[in-house]
Amino acid sequence: MHRNYVIVLVIAITAGYLSPCLGQKASDTVTSTEREFIEIIATDYAFDAPDEIPSGWTTIKFTNDGDEPHMLLFHLLPEGKTFDHFAGEVYPPVNEMWMAARDDGMGPSEAQQVASLPEWFHDARWMGGVGFIDAGRSTEVIMKLPPGTYVMECYVKTEDGELHAMEGMVRELIVAEERSEALPPKADIDITLSNYVMDIDGELTPGQHTVAVHFEEGNYHNVHVARLNEEESVQDVLDWLPWLERDGLWPPAPATLLGGKNILPEGDTGYFTLDLEPGRYLFVSEITGHLGVMQEVNIE
Ligand SMILES: [Cu+2]
C-alpha cells in the first residue's frame, strides 16, 4: 500500500551494446565481464544519467556519490504523458501527503487522504530500479526496458526531512525503439516474490553474487538488502522503511544499506549484484506489514 503513491527516479547511462557471439550458437545468458554499462551516479540531490538509452536488456551501474542513502525507481509513463506531467501533477500531491505526515503527525492512511494523484497516473508502471543503498556504495541492476518515456525518482528523505525528489532527484529518461543486443545475466541466487511471500533459492556465501528477482503474482513487492551489526535490529529496519511514516526513510538508516531491486511488473525478472561478507542480513520488501516478504539470513 505504501508504495502506491511514491515514485522517484534516477538514471545515468553511457549506452553500450553487447556484441553477439560470432559463429557460435547464442547462449541465453552472458557473464558480467562481457557487459557494457550505463552509468547512473546519485549525488545529494541529483541523478547524473544519460538522457536516452536503447530498449531491451540494460545493465545499470549505480553509484551513490552522496552523503545520504539513495535509491532509484523507474516509472514508465502512459502514452502521451511527459516528464512535465509527472513533475507538475504527481509530485505535488505526493509531497502534500508527506508534509501531512511530517508536520501534522498523520499516519500513512490518513496522510494519503489529503491529496489525490491524477487518474492517468494509475496507468503508469513501475519498471524496476535500485534498492536503498548507502553513501559510497555501488551496485549493478540489469533489466529489460520497453521503449517509452520514463521518470527516475528517489524518495529517501534529507536530514531535514524533505523528499530527495523535491530537492532534484527526479529526472526524465527516454528508452529508444532501438534495441540493445544484450542478454540477461546468469544468476546464482533466485528470489521469488509472490503475494507477500519472499523465497530465496541458492547459496548465500561470502563473495560476489548475481541475484535474479522473479516478480510473480502481485505488483507491490521489491527487495532491499541490509546488513545488521550486533546492536541493530530487524524491527528498526522494518520501522524505517515505510516512506509515509514520520521517521520513514529519514536518515540515518538503522542498518547498512546494500541496494536491491525495485518493483517490476508481474511476470518480469530483473537482476542485481550483491557483494556479501560474513554477517547478518535482512532481505526485505517495503511492504513491511507482511512478515512473509522478508528473510533474515546469517552468512558464516
Ligand atoms: Cu536520494
Side-chain angles (χ1 to χ4, degrees), residues 43 45 47 69-71 154-156 164 169:
T43 57
Y45 303 97
F47 290 118
H70 292 295
M71 50 76 70
C154 173
Y155 51 86
V156 173
H164 284 187
M169 295 193 84

Short mmCIF file of all heavy atoms in Angstrom, two decimals, residues 43 45 47 69-71 154-156 164 169, ligand 1:
data_model
loop_
_atom_site.label_atom_id
_atom_site.label_comp_id
_atom_site.label_asym_id
_atom_site.label_seq_id
_atom_site.Cartn_x
_atom_site.Cartn_y
_atom_site.Cartn_z
N THR A 43 23.88 11.78 -6.45
CA THR A 43 24.52 12.70 -5.51
C THR A 43 23.42 13.31 -4.65
O THR A 43 22.24 13.06 -4.87
CB THR A 43 25.28 13.81 -6.25
OG1 THR A 43 24.36 14.49 -7.12
CG2 THR A 43 26.43 13.26 -7.07
N TYR A 45 21.57 16.47 -4.47
CA TYR A 45 20.44 15.62 -4.74
C TYR A 45 20.15 15.66 -6.22
O TYR A 45 19.36 16.49 -6.68
CB TYR A 45 19.21 16.12 -3.96
CG TYR A 45 19.49 16.18 -2.47
CD1 TYR A 45 19.86 17.40 -1.90
CD2 TYR A 45 19.45 15.04 -1.69
CE1 TYR A 45 20.14 17.45 -0.53
CE2 TYR A 45 19.74 15.09 -0.33
CZ TYR A 45 20.10 16.30 0.25
OH TYR A 45 20.40 16.37 1.58
N PHE A 47 20.51 13.02 -10.09
CA PHE A 47 20.95 11.83 -10.80
C PHE A 47 21.76 12.28 -12.00
O PHE A 47 21.25 13.04 -12.83
CB PHE A 47 19.77 11.02 -11.32
CG PHE A 47 18.97 10.34 -10.26
CD1 PHE A 47 17.65 10.65 -10.08
CD2 PHE A 47 19.54 9.37 -9.46
CE1 PHE A 47 16.89 10.01 -9.13
CE2 PHE A 47 18.79 8.72 -8.50
CZ PHE A 47 17.46 9.05 -8.33
N PRO A 69 21.78 8.10 2.06
CA PRO A 69 21.34 6.94 1.27
C PRO A 69 20.50 7.42 0.08
O PRO A 69 19.87 8.48 0.15
CB PRO A 69 20.45 6.15 2.24
CG PRO A 69 20.69 6.70 3.60
CD PRO A 69 21.19 8.12 3.41
N HIS A 70 20.51 6.64 -1.00
CA HIS A 70 19.67 6.94 -2.15
C HIS A 70 19.06 5.66 -2.69
O HIS A 70 19.40 4.56 -2.23
CB HIS A 70 20.48 7.64 -3.26
CG HIS A 70 20.94 9.02 -2.89
ND1 HIS A 70 20.07 10.05 -2.69
CD2 HIS A 70 22.19 9.52 -2.68
CE1 HIS A 70 20.75 11.15 -2.36
NE2 HIS A 70 22.04 10.85 -2.35
N MET A 71 18.20 5.79 -3.66
CA MET A 71 17.58 4.67 -4.35
C MET A 71 17.13 5.18 -5.70
O MET A 71 17.25 6.37 -6.00
CB MET A 71 16.40 4.09 -3.56
CG MET A 71 15.36 5.08 -3.08
SD MET A 71 14.20 5.71 -4.31
CE MET A 71 13.23 4.25 -4.63
N CYS A 154 14.01 9.33 -6.62
CA CYS A 154 14.48 8.86 -5.30
C CYS A 154 13.61 9.52 -4.24
O CYS A 154 13.48 10.74 -4.21
CB CYS A 154 15.94 9.22 -5.07
SG CYS A 154 16.49 8.86 -3.39
N TYR A 155 13.01 8.70 -3.38
CA TYR A 155 12.11 9.26 -2.35
C TYR A 155 12.63 9.07 -0.93
O TYR A 155 11.86 9.12 0.04
CB TYR A 155 10.69 8.76 -2.50
CG TYR A 155 10.52 7.27 -2.61
CD1 TYR A 155 10.42 6.47 -1.48
CD2 TYR A 155 10.43 6.66 -3.86
CE1 TYR A 155 10.25 5.10 -1.58
CE2 TYR A 155 10.25 5.30 -3.97
CZ TYR A 155 10.16 4.52 -2.83
OH TYR A 155 9.98 3.17 -2.94
N VAL A 156 13.94 8.88 -0.79
CA VAL A 156 14.56 8.97 0.54
C VAL A 156 14.40 10.41 1.03
O VAL A 156 14.17 11.33 0.23
CB VAL A 156 16.06 8.55 0.44
CG1 VAL A 156 16.79 8.79 1.76
CG2 VAL A 156 16.17 7.08 0.02
N HIS A 164 13.91 13.60 -1.31
CA HIS A 164 15.00 13.85 -2.27
C HIS A 164 14.47 14.28 -3.63
O HIS A 164 15.07 15.10 -4.31
CB HIS A 164 15.86 12.59 -2.42
CG HIS A 164 16.79 12.35 -1.28
ND1 HIS A 164 17.74 11.35 -1.31
CD2 HIS A 164 16.93 12.97 -0.08
CE1 HIS A 164 18.42 11.37 -0.17
NE2 HIS A 164 17.94 12.34 0.61
N MET A 169 16.01 15.06 -7.16
CA MET A 169 16.26 13.68 -7.59
C MET A 169 15.05 13.10 -8.32
O MET A 169 14.44 12.11 -7.94
CB MET A 169 16.66 12.79 -6.40
CG MET A 169 17.98 13.23 -5.81
SD MET A 169 18.69 12.04 -4.68
CE MET A 169 19.55 10.94 -5.81
CU CU B 1 18.11 10.12 -2.89
#
